[in-house]
Amino acid sequence: MTNGDEPLKSDVEIPEDVSDNIFITSLDKIYNWSRRNSLWPMGFGLACCAIEMICTAASRYDLARFGMEVFRASPRQADVMIVSGTVTKKMIPTIVRLYNQMPEPRYVLSMGACANGGGPFKEGYNVLDGVDKLLPVDVYVPGCPPTPQALIFGLITLQEKIDQQSILKVPWYRKNDPTDFVPIPVLGPDLLDLRQIDLIRENAQKQESEELAEKELTEQDPTLTPNT
Ligand code: SF4
């Protein structure tokens, strides 16, 4: 096995007569090889892009060639979440909950313009402009919708990313895991990302004190009209 273009070398001297029968590898290579060839996507879709995802798994495009045909009905058994479709704010708590239920190592592939950045519904009151606002996305696949070939290319790109990972540096298996639990956003007049709660509180207090100061000014001088 090679490490990029460089062949891996052994510290142990290998006798000439058995050198053809010995396979030199590294822990990283085995670890990455087993993960990249058995990525099990989660079987869930959000909108029209999901139809393309479904047909990618069917016989014509045959995702099984890459070890990815086993779409799982449970996040507990899935390695990769393909966010395929429009991410509405109503769906976000569910998507985040499903992500949290996936065991690590786990990956997120954002499929299509909607999941990447809101797509044609970007300005919609009910649409999140990009699933990466909440989840760590590994690969983005552009298109509206992306073709099955594009999705396969995205998954191959994910495999290449996995090839580059080292067990010593991956974010999981660590005490302060940055990909760990994502707080489930709260739905209200707008989506509330609990990770931003301090900033939101600070802005709300600032706004409140500005309004108070403005009110006091207007009370002192009624000829002033408050900014609206
Ligand atoms: S990107 Fe296009 S095809 Fe995909 S969900 Fe959005 S509107 Fe539908």
Side-chain angles (χ1 to χ4, degrees):
M1 193 171 280
T2 61
N3 182 7
D5 293 335
E6 289 290 310
L8 290 176
K9 292 197 176 73
S10 166
D11 298 336
V12 181
E13 199 173 322
I14 300 168
E16 183 71 33
D17 53 336
V18 292
S19 62
D20 287 346
N21 302 330
I22 292 182
F23 187 65
I24 302 172
T25 186
S26 67
L27 181 61
D28 274 346
K29 285 279 173 192
I30 295 178
Y31 177 70
N32 292 344
W33 172 76
S34 55
R35 276 179 310 130
R36 57 114 65 200
N37 290 310
S38 61
L39 286 171
W40 289 2
M42 186 156 54
F44 97 116
L46 297 171
C48 7
C49 275
I51 304 299
E52 299 293 321
M53 180 184 72
I54 291 163
C55 80
T56 311
S59 54
R60 186 180 173 103
Y61 296 99
D62 193 13
L63 214 49
R65 291 175 293 157
F66 306 95
M68 297 177 195
E69 76 279 22
V70 195
F71 273 80
R72 305 309 294 175
S74 162
R76 309 275 185 208
Q77 300 166 352
D79 304 300
V80 52
M81 173 186 258
I82 302 176
V83 184
S84 54
T86 318
V87 183
T88 57
K89 290 178 182 169
K90 189 177 175 184
M91 277 303 288
I92 272 287
T94 310
I95 295 170
V96 173
R97 183 173 290 115
L98 287 171
Y99 174 78
N100 284 330
Q101 287 174 345
M102 286 167 69
E104 290 175 321
R106 59 189 170 191
Y107 302 94
V108 178
L109 184 146
S110 171
M111 178 183 182
C114 282
N116 291 347
F121 313 111
K122 185 177 164 60
E123 304 299 332
Y125 70 94
N126 60 335
V127 171
L128 188 73
D129 54 352
V131 74
D132 57 1
K133 296 273 185 306
L134 291 161
L135 301 183
V137 173
D138 294 284
V139 175
Y140 298 84
V141 179
C144 179
T147 56
Q149 294 94 325
L151 178 58
I152 289 175
F153 182 73
L155 288 165
I156 292 172
T157 307
L158 179 59
Q159 287 185 322
E160 286 169 357
K161 181 173 179 176
I162 293 172
D163 283 340
Q164 303 306 318
Q165 290 183 322
S166 164
I167 196 167
L168 297 174
K169 293 186 189 145
V170 285
W172 44 88
Y173 313 140
R174 299 192 188 287
K175 275 189 189 154
N176 301 321
D177 179 353
T179 68
D180 204 0
F181 184 77
V182 177
I184 294 173
V186 178
L187 271 177
D190 209 338
L191 196 71
L192 200 66
D193 182 355
L194 294 180
R195 291 170 302 181
Q196 312 286 336
I197 196 72
D198 290 337
L199 187 67
I200 294 168
R201 221 173 253 143
E202 198 181 299
N203 285 343
Q205 281 167 354
K206 205 170 141 196
Q207 197 179 339
E208 201 181 349
S209 53
E210 277 173 10
E211 279 172 9
L212 257 175
E214 206 167 276
K215 201 173 158 200
E216 275 169 18
L217 263 180
T218 329
E219 278 170 4
Q220 284 167 12
D221 183 356
T223 56
L224 290 174
T225 46
N227 292 333
T228 53

